[in-house]
Amino acid sequence: MADHLCTQLNEQAVRERYTLLSQACESTAGTGNQQLEEQLQALEQIIERDLPALARKGSPDNITDLLQALRLEMTRFREFCEYPALPSKVVVGLGGSFSAGKSSLINALIGDRKCLVTEVDPTTSLPTYLVQAKSEQTEVHAINLFNRVVSLSHEQFRTLTHEEKSRYGSQVSSLLKSVVVAHPALPWGNLALLDTPGYSKADQVGSERTDANLARAQLNSAQFIVWLVPADKGTITEEDIAFLGTLDRAIPKLVVISRADKHPAEEIEKIVTLVHDTLAKRGLSVLDVIPFSTRPRSNYSAEPLLDYFAQWNKARRELGFAKQFKRQFMGYQRFIDEERQEALRLLGRFNRILALNDDGNVQADIDSVQRKCKGELAQLELLAQMLAELQGRFFTELKTIGEQVGIPLPEPDVISLLDLSSINLSGMLGQLAEEWGVSATECNPAIWLPLTSDLSLTNLPKLLRRDISSYPAIWLPLTYDLPLTNLPKLLRRDILSYPFLQVLQA
C-alpha cells in the first residue's frame, strides 16, 4: 500500500515526507533545560515504576485507570513546561464528536480557513493549542514521543490528519503527542484555544492513546470548555452526554450548535431548547446553548460566542494539574481506607462472637482468624504509609518544577476536591424509607430530624474538618461521592453516639 502511494508522489514530496519523519523521530537532547528534564523524569518514575511496585502489594481494581490518568496528565504537564507560551494562558478546550466542527469554528473565529486542518473527514489527529503569535508568521511546534520539541512548517502540520496513512503512506502523527500553533490573527492574547480529538473509532478501543482518552485528559485540565453539537443531529446525543458526564463538573461549559445555517430557524430554536432541557434533566450545567455557523452571511452571528471569549480573555489563569494528580492519589487512598474499615468491622464482629461464646474450640478458631485479620490491617497501614511517602515526594517535586517554570502548584487539600453541592436529603431519605418499608416515626427523632430537614449541607466543610475518622458509618457516605447507598445501613445503626450530626442543622 505504502509503496503504491510513494509511486504516486513525486521525488520532492517523498523527500519532504522523509524529512518530516526524521524530525518527528528526533530523540537526542537539544539545548533545553537539563535540570528540568531530570525533574520531569523523576515524576514519571514515580508514575511508571514506584506506583506499579506499590500496587503489587495491594491496589484497587481500577489501578490501571488511575495510572493511565496520571500518565495522560503528566503528558499535559510536560507540554506546559516545554512550551513557554502556555503556562501564562487561560486554556479554552473545544470538544465534541468526530466532525462536530471544532477546527472549522476556530478557523472562522480567527478568519483563516487554513489555520487548522478541516479536510473531508475533519478530524484532529493531535491535541492542538492555538495561541497568539508575537510575529507576523505562523509558527508550529510539536512534542514527540521522546519528549523533544520539534519545529514544523504550517504545511507539514496540515498533513497530520487521520487520513495521513491513506494519503502519504506514513503515520508521523502517531510519533507526536501535541502541537502548539502560534497564529498572528488570534485576537485574544491571554487565551490558548485547545482543539481536541473527537471520540475514538471502534478499531482504536483499548489503546492507551485513544482519541477519547486524549480528549478527556485535555478537556479536564482546561479552564473553560466549548462543546460542539452538530445541528443535523437534532439534539445532543447520548454519547455526548455520557462523555460530558466524565468531565470535571467545576469547569464552566458552553454548548455551541454548529452548522446552524443548514436548517430552518424554527428548527434551530427547537434544537437549542431541547439541548437545554436534556442537559438540565441529566444534571449537567452549562453556561448557554448558542447556535453558530461558519458562513459569514448566515443569520447566526458569532458575537455571542465572541463575547464569551472576550470575558474569558480577562479571567485569571487557573491550572488544574495539582488537582488532577491529587484526585488519582485520593482514589488509591480511598481503596486503602475502605479495606481498613472492612477489616476493623470484621474484628468487631469477631469480638462480639467471642463475648457470646464460651466454647474453647470456637474461640481458638476465631482467635486464629483474628490474627490473620490483624496482619492484613498491619499490611494496609504499611501500604498507606508507603503511598503517603510517594505522594509527598511527588508533590514536592511537582511544586519545585512549578516554581522553576512559573506555574504555582501547591498540593491541594482533600476538602477542596470534595463535591459539596447541595442535596435534598429529605427526598432521598423518603424514597429510601419507602423502598425499605421504614416509617419516619419508627426512628429516633434525634437521628431523623437533622437528616430530613432539606439541608443544603453548607456546614459540611466544618463537619469534615472535625476528627470523624472513627465514624466510618458517617464518613464513607458523606465524603466518597457516593449516592448514599449505605444510608439504609446507617439508619439501622445506633448512631446516637454521633452528636456531631447536629452540625448539619446549624
Side-chain angles (χ1 to χ4, degrees):
M1 176 69 175
D3 292 339
H4 174 67
L5 287 167
C6 287
T7 60
Q8 296 178 338
L9 299 175
N10 59 42
E11 182 178 348
Q12 181 62 27
V14 173
R15 288 181 180 274
E16 291 176 353
R17 208 68 198 165
Y18 178 77
T19 300
L20 177 59
L21 184 62
S22 299
Q23 288 176 269
C25 292
E26 179 61 48
S27 61
T28 57
T31 59
N33 189 326
Q34 186 61 33
Q35 180 184 0
L36 175 61
E37 178 59 29
E38 291 174 358
Q39 291 171 324
L40 289 170
Q41 288 181 6
L43 279 185
E44 290 171 337
Q45 284 184 353
I46 293 176
I47 297 172
E48 301 296 343
R49 183 192 64 191
D50 298 341
L51 274 172
L54 183 65
R56 286 191 283 273
K57 302 179 185 297
S59 63
D61 294 337
N62 66 335
I63 184 62
T64 302
D65 295 332
L66 293 180
L67 290 173
Q68 180 60 12
L70 286 169
R71 292 188 187 104
L72 290 172
E73 195 62 23
M74 189 66 214
T75 298
R76 276 201 11 79
F77 183 56
R78 266 192 173 276
E79 294 169 358
F80 274 69
C81 292
E82 297 285 357
Y83 294 131
L86 287 182
S88 62
K89 306 294 184 183
V90 171
V91 177
V92 178
L94 284 88
S97 61
F98 278 110
S99 301
K102 300 180 293 292
S103 302
S104 297
L105 173 62
I106 293 177
N107 290 349
L109 291 177
I110 66 174
D112 182 359
R113 293 186 178 183
K114 294 185 178 181
C115 177
L116 302 183
V117 181
T118 54
E119 303 293 351
V120 177
D121 180 15
T123 52
T124 303
S125 159
L126 290 166
T128 303
Y129 294 91
L130 183 65
V131 298
Q132 190 180 71
K134 295 181 179 179
S135 66
E136 295 300 318
Q137 300 296 323
T138 299
E139 299 178 357
V140 182
H141 295 88
I143 290 183
N144 66 14
L145 295 181
F146 303 102
N147 300 315
R148 304 304 176 199
V149 178
V150 296
S151 297
L152 306 175
S153 69
H154 196 199
E155 291 71 23
Q156 288 175 325
F157 164 66
R158 284 178 51 78
T159 67
L160 304 181
T161 70
H162 277 292
E163 293 78 34
E164 180 192 351
K165 185 175 182 178
S166 61
R167 293 187 178 189
Y168 302 99
S170 64
Q171 288 183 287
V172 177
S173 58
S174 63
L175 299 173
L176 304 175
K177 293 182 178 180
S178 62
V179 176
V180 171
V181 178
H183 198 287
L186 187 71
W188 307 289
N190 196 37
L191 298 184
L193 307 187
L194 173 58
D195 187 17
T196 64
Y199 303 137
S200 297
K201 293 183 178 179
D203 59 357
Q204 294 174 308
V205 174
S207 169
E208 291 186 352
R209 291 194 73 215
T210 61
D211 285 348
N213 286 337
L214 285 173
R216 184 177 296 108
Q218 298 281 335
L219 290 172
N220 265 334
S221 57
Q223 198 161 332
F224 301 96
I225 292 175
V226 176
W227 189 264
L228 277 83
V229 175
D232 52 12
K233 297 288 186 180
T235 186
I236 189 166
T237 65
E238 282 296 320
E239 290 77 9
D240 277 6
I241 293 173
F243 190 91
L244 284 170
T246 66
L247 299 180
D248 189 341
R249 291 177 179 265
I251 302 174
K253 300 172 184 68
L254 177 68
V255 176
V256 172
I257 308 299
S258 61
R259 303 171 191 144
D261 60 288
K262 296 184 178 181
H263 301 267
E266 58 272 15
E267 184 177 338
I268 295 299
E269 290 180 7
K270 292 180 181 179
I271 293 175
V272 169
T273 301
L274 185 57
V275 170
H276 257 302
D277 295 344
T278 302
L279 290 173
K281 290 178 181 177
R282 302 298 284 272
L284 295 173
S285 175
V286 295
L287 298 172
D288 202 353
V289 179
I290 300 175
F292 177 79
S293 171
T294 58
R295 293 187 179 182
R297 295 184 180 180
S298 70
N299 295 324
Y300 302 101
S301 169
E303 289 304 318
L305 186 56
L306 294 175
D307 288 343
Y308 275 103
F309 278 85
Q311 294 174 28
W312 297 340
N313 190 51
K314 299 176 183 178
R316 222 177 119 211
R317 177 194 59 176
E318 295 178 8
L319 295 175
F321 295 116
K323 289 184 177 181
Q324 294 296 335
F325 284 129
K326 185 64 175 279
R327 284 191 177 99
Q328 309 315 318
F329 281 99
M330 284 173 61
Y332 204 142
Q333 184 61 52
R334 182 179 301 128
F335 157 77
I336 297 175
D337 290 343
E338 290 173 349
E339 291 292 303
R340 190 160 44 189
Q341 296 299 341
E342 180 60 27
L344 288 171
R345 282 192 289 270
L346 285 175
L347 281 175
R349 291 171 186 168
F350 291 143
N351 287 333
R352 288 195 295 272
I353 293 173
L354 283 174
L356 297 173
N357 193 302
D358 56 2
D359 188 312
N361 292 328
V362 173
Q363 289 183 341
D365 290 340
I366 293 178
D367 186 60
S368 174
V369 177
Q370 276 189 314
R371 286 196 299 270
K372 181 180 179 181
C373 194
K374 289 177 180 178
E376 292 176 354
L377 264 175
Q379 179 65 24
L380 288 168
E381 291 292 345
L382 178 61
L383 192 65
Q385 293 174 13
M386 295 174 69
L387 178 62
E389 187 273 332
L390 278 181
Q391 179 175 308
R393 280 202 291 126
F394 185 93
F395 282 99
T396 297
E397 196 71 51
L398 185 70
K399 183 179 179 181
T400 301
I401 295 174
E403 291 171 350
Q404 184 174 337
V405 298
I407 308 175
L409 292 171
E411 180 178 355
D413 58 72
V414 175
I415 298 297
S416 68
L417 298 180
L418 294 177
D419 183 5
L420 303 180
S421 57
S422 300
I423 59 175
N424 185 343
L425 275 176
S426 176
M428 296 172 68
L429 290 176
Q431 182 179 356
L432 285 172
E434 183 178 349
E435 291 177 1
W436 286 78
V438 176
S439 172
T441 58
E442 297 174 5
C443 299
N444 191 308
I447 305 299
W448 184 257
L449 290 177
L451 287 175
T452 59
S453 51
D454 288 341
L455 303 172
S456 63
L457 295 187
T458 55
N459 287 297
L460 192 55
K462 186 191 302 183
L463 168 66
L464 297 182
R465 284 187 174 87
R466 293 173 177 237
D467 182 15
I468 61 172
S469 58
S470 59
Y471 303 134
I474 306 296
W475 177 261
L476 290 176
L478 287 181
T479 62
Y480 284 165
D481 293 334
L482 299 177
L484 295 183
T485 53
N486 290 326
L487 207 49
K489 296 179 183 178
L490 171 63
L491 294 178
R492 283 174 168 74
R493 290 170 178 255
D494 179 12
I495 59 174
L496 287 174
S497 58
Y498 302 153
F500 62 86
L501 275 176
Q502 295 174 4
V503 176
L504 293 173
Q505 283 186 297

Coordinates of all heavy atoms in Angstrom, one line a residue, residues 33 43 122 143 146 293 324 377 401 439 474 481:
N33 N 16.6 22.9 29.1 CA 17.0 22.8 30.5 C 17.1 21.4 30.9 O 16.2 20.7 31.1 CB 15.9 23.6 31.3 CG 16.4 23.8 32.7 OD1 17.1 22.9 33.3 ND2 15.9 24.9 33.3
L43 N 9.4 12.6 38.2 CA 8.0 12.5 38.4 C 7.5 11.3 37.6 O 6.6 10.5 38.1 CB 7.3 13.7 37.9 CG 7.2 15.0 38.8 CD1 6.3 16.0 38.1 CD2 6.6 14.6 40.2
P122 N -13.1 16.0 8.8 CA -12.3 16.9 9.5 C -12.1 16.5 11.0 O -12.7 17.0 11.9 CB -13.2 18.2 9.5 CG -14.6 17.7 9.3 CD -14.5 16.4 8.6
I143 N 5.6 18.3 20.4 CA 6.3 17.4 21.3 C 6.2 16.0 20.8 O 5.1 15.5 20.6 CB 5.8 17.5 22.7 CG1 6.1 18.9 23.3 CG2 6.4 16.4 23.6 CD1 5.7 19.1 24.8
F146 N 9.5 11.2 22.3 CA 10.7 11.2 23.1 C 10.8 12.5 23.9 O 11.9 12.8 24.5 CB 11.9 11.1 22.2 CG 11.9 9.9 21.3 CD1 11.5 9.9 20.0 CD2 12.3 8.6 21.9 CE1 11.5 8.8 19.2 CE2 12.2 7.5 21.1 CZ 11.9 7.5 19.8
S293 N -22.8 29.4 12.9 CA -22.5 29.0 11.6 C -21.2 29.7 11.2 O -20.9 30.8 11.5 CB -23.6 29.4 10.6 OG -23.1 29.1 9.2
Q324 N -5.7 17.4 39.5 CA -5.9 16.2 38.7 C -5.0 15.1 39.2 O -5.4 13.9 39.4 CB -5.6 16.5 37.2 CG -6.6 17.4 36.5 CD -8.0 16.8 36.5 OE1 -8.2 15.6 36.6 NE2 -9.0 17.7 36.4
L377 N -4.5 -5.8 58.5 CA -4.6 -4.4 58.9 C -3.2 -3.8 59.0 O -3.0 -2.7 58.5 CB -5.3 -4.3 60.3 CG -6.7 -4.0 60.4 CD1 -7.3 -4.1 61.8 CD2 -7.0 -2.7 59.7
I401 N 9.2 22.0 40.4 CA 9.2 22.2 38.9 C 8.3 23.4 38.6 O 8.6 24.3 37.8 CB 8.6 21.0 38.2 CG1 9.6 19.8 38.4 CG2 8.4 21.3 36.7 CD1 9.1 18.5 37.8
S439 N -40.8 3.6 58.5 CA -41.5 4.8 58.7 C -40.7 5.7 59.5 O -39.9 5.3 60.4 CB -42.8 4.5 59.5 OG -43.4 5.7 59.9
I474 N -20.6 7.3 59.0 CA -20.9 8.6 58.5 C -19.9 9.1 57.5 O -20.3 9.6 56.4 CB -20.9 9.6 59.7 CG1 -21.8 9.1 60.8 CG2 -21.4 11.0 59.2 CD1 -23.3 9.0 60.5
D481 N -18.2 10.7 47.3 CA -19.0 10.9 46.1 C -20.0 9.7 45.8 O -20.1 9.3 44.7 CB -18.1 11.1 44.9 CG -17.3 12.4 45.0 OD1 -17.8 13.3 45.6 OD2 -16.3 12.4 44.4

